[in-house]
Each structure stands twice: as structure tokens, then as C-alpha cells.
Amino acid sequence: MPLSDDEKSLLNRLQIKVLRTERRNRVLEAYYEGEQRVEQLGLAIPPELRRFLTIAAWPGTYADEIAARTTLEGFELPDATEADEQLWRIWQANGLDSESKLGQLDAIVRGGSFVAIGAGDAETPDAPSPEGGDDDRERSAEIPLITVESSDEMAVELSPRTRHPIAAAKFYSQDGVAHATLYLPAVTIWLERRNAAWVEVDRDEHNLGVVPVVPLVRGARLSKRDGRSIFTRIIGLTDAAARALTNGQVATEALAVPQRHAAGMKPEDFRDKDGSLLPTWEAYFGAVWATSNPDARFGSFSAADLANFDTIVSLYAKLVSGVSGLPMRYLGQATTNPPSAEGILADESRVIKQVEDYQTALEAAWERVMKIAVRFRDGRWDPRMEQLETQWRSAATPTRAQAADAAVKLVQQKIIPREAAWVDLGYSAARRKKLAELFAAEEARDPMAEIARGLAGADRPVVAGVDAG
């Protein structure tokens, strides 16, 4: 079926949006990798000194720290006390333990990334082994396919009323052939570029009523729904620090070693033992300068004091710390005394709050992803998914001893049950289930506990496992 004029126009608009985003992403990616050398400093440094360009890779440090603290641990349905196993099965079958981290990092660096949801098939990550039977293949087909996509390849158009996508498209190349996937509320269309035109090769009439693409956005505002990079406020300071570091490199090369001078000497005075003239650099670094001219004079200049470069780079680090909330030690500024556990927590309070706000922004996106995935799996919308809750690992960095001590005290005071303490300690849902089984097995082997359970069943008071009657 050929594309309609409206679909062609929509596809062209989305492709233009991808190309514009891709150009912006190249600059942001250079800052993340610490490779923005020539592009940002080429005019400020003479061409012959570009080899001395040095970059402070603070943007990458900032992005990695926020991303490392943003870890999704499960989904909880209403009236449940544990993460839902079926939803987590979908999550892990699609490799989202790692893929979600990649998408969230891209959203931090570039402002946004995307998650696409589709029907599962034999090519899903959960596909059974050749030894599996028909039941395994049937269960595999029930798992929807969820992929995390880069803004280099995908773009969306948002509804001005609901703020949800009304159309999306992905553009990519495979074996030298350009491909595109157009996502619409009722259909997903796969296309190939042939003879300078998009040709449909397949379509899925899913009739979802929503576009099966969800943006992951960081830093969205009312006037900028597609988000913004976390680097926005520190790019200028990073460039300024790079210029200072580059000037320090040049000064180190030219002025850190005392310069020597000689008056009254000729090039012929600089010969080796065979009588050949020495190269200029070898003559300069020679240990002995001598001449037969009695009026010759030798001397040296004072070495330059390079401490001012440390001062200016430290100043820029303080400014970046003030803007980003990163502790100074993350920017290479070591303190004399190591911070205490309480000091670390106070020092990282702004970073922790940023991560918590980012998690809040991601919650709605990941919950929408799972809602659509369940619709693909079941063929209907599950009303319970409207109250789905996302579980996140704590963004703070308390020591293991601190976390364990706090959990023990809360359990002893009966403020929380033992299972809630496992959640606070960061144990996964699978490990919490295993721990519960181990505790149950241990209690079953305890004869005193067995006696206590038997007596309690007979409505007789039991104290410390002993019959009080």
C-alpha cells in the first residue's frame, strides 16, 4: 500500500527534525567525550600550538555521575507489596537492565532519547533455545519487543493537548540501504528508500490508539518539551578552563625550564668530537658551552612561576561546582582531609536531588512504556496499569555499614518489616524472593520454632518457644 500524501509529508518533517538534532548531538557528544578541541578553541590558539590543546572533561564526569545514580529496580502494581514478576520478565527479556541505562544517559547528554514498543516474535531477546518446545516458543511470542532508540535516528511530533506523541519515525541504514519506520496511532509502517522514494515493505495494523513510542526527556520545560542537555550551563566554563590549561601547557613547554643565553658565540663553537656542527636542539641541551672568545658572556633567565594556572583552573572548577552541584573532589580538586560519611552526604545533597527529580521525570515515561507493552501482550488495556508505581534505587551513597545499621534499627523498632529492609538495602526482587525462601527453610528446620507453631495452633500461650501452660 503506497503512502498517502499526509504520511509522506509527516515522514519528511520528522526526517528534517532528525537531521537538525543530529548536528546538535555531535557537539554535545564531543563535550561528553572531551574531544571538542579544534571546534571550540581553534581561533583562540595559533595553529602551530594546537597540539598543546588540553580539555577538562567535566561534562562527561557530570553526566556519568547522574546516570550512575539513576537505576530502575522494578514496577509495582496497585495492592502489591513486591515488584511485579511478569512486568520484570518483560523488562529483562528485552535487556533493559543495560539498555535503559544507555537511554537515560543519552537523555542526560543530549536532552532526550526514545523507547519503541512492538509485538514480540521469534526474534525477541527472550527467544527460546533450539532445544525448547512449542510451549517455550509460545511464551516467547507473548513478550513484547521494547527497544531504546537514539535521537540521532528517531524523532516525534507531540500533541499540543496531551503532550504525548501523535507520530514518530526512525531512520537508519542497513547493508547500504536506507530504511525508515513510521509509527502512527493505528499502524506501524516499515519502509525502504528506492529510486529516491520511500517504498512500503511491511505494516502492522495494531489499532492501539496511541503511538508506541515514548520519549525519555531530561530538563523539559513548558516551552521546550524535547528537553535540554545537562551540559548547557557548564559549556562556557569548560571552554574557559580548557584555554587556561592550554596556556599552561605552552608555558610549561617554553618557560618551566630556565632559559639560557650566551653572547659572543658563533655557530662554529657548537661542534661534536668529529668536528661536525651540532643540531640546534642538541646544542641548546648540551651540558657544556665553551668558546675561545674572552668577551663571551653566559647566563640564564629565571624559570616562570606556573602556580597562577593552578589558581585559575581551580576557580573555574569552583564555578562549575556551583552551577552543577558536583562536589569539588569530582572535579579533581582534592581536599587535605578525607570527608566523613555525613560530610559526603551533605556534599552530594544537590546531586542527589537532581537525580530524584530526574527519576520523577522518567517515571511517567517508563510506566507508559510498560502500559503499552502489556497492551501488546494481552491485546487489551489493563486498568491496573494506570496506577503502576516505579521502584528506584536510592540516589544517595551511604556506606554499606550505615545502610545496614539503619535497616536493623528500623526492623528492631518494628517500624518496617524485614522484607522492607531488604528493599532499603538495594536487594533486587529476585534476591528478595530467594532470601524469603531461605528464611522459610531455616525456620522449618528449627525444632523450637516448630514446637512454637504447634502450641500456638492449639491456642496455648508460648513464651520464647516454651509451653507456658
Side-chain angles (χ1 to χ4, degrees), residues 358-379:
Y358 184 40
Q359 290 174 347
T360 300
L362 291 173
E363 277 185 14
W366 284 121
E367 289 165 9
R368 184 173 174 82
V369 168
M370 299 311 293
K371 178 181 176 181
I372 296 174
V374 169
R375 165 62 176 80
F376 270 109
R377 184 192 67 185
D378 299 343

Side-chain angles (χ1 to χ4, degrees), residues 372-451:
I372 296 174
V374 169
R375 165 62 176 80
F376 270 109
R377 184 192 67 185
D378 299 343
R380 60 180 179 81
W381 295 104
D382 188 340
R384 297 184 305 158
M385 297 296 293
E386 298 295 339
Q387 301 177 44
L388 187 66
E389 292 290 337
T390 307
Q391 297 175 350
W392 296 95
R393 184 176 300 170
S394 172
T397 55
T399 63
R400 188 74 174 173
Q402 278 183 307
D405 182 61
V408 168
K409 290 178 179 178
L410 291 172
V411 172
Q412 288 177 341
Q413 296 299 319
K414 298 184 178 180
I415 297 175
I416 62 174
R418 179 177 61 193
E419 290 75 10
W422 297 342
V423 175
D424 293 343
L425 289 172
Y427 294 153
S428 66
R431 189 174 183 187
R432 294 197 299 269
K433 182 179 179 181
K434 184 64 175 179
L435 287 173
E437 293 173 354
L438 291 174
F439 270 103
E442 182 178 341
E443 291 174 354
R445 291 192 300 266
D446 185 353
M448 298 303 294
E450 183 66 28
I451 293 172

Side-chain angles (χ1 to χ4, degrees), residues 41 44-45 52-56 58 236-252 306-317:
L41 300 173
I45 302 297
F52 295 109
L53 291 173
T54 306
I55 299 298
W58 293 334
L237 295 171
T238 301
D239 287 347
R243 292 187 180 93
L245 287 169
T246 301
N247 289 336
Q249 280 274 62
V250 174
T252 299
L306 304 180
N308 58 317
F309 291 106
D310 177 67
T311 301
I312 190 65
V313 172
S314 296
L315 172 61
Y316 288 131

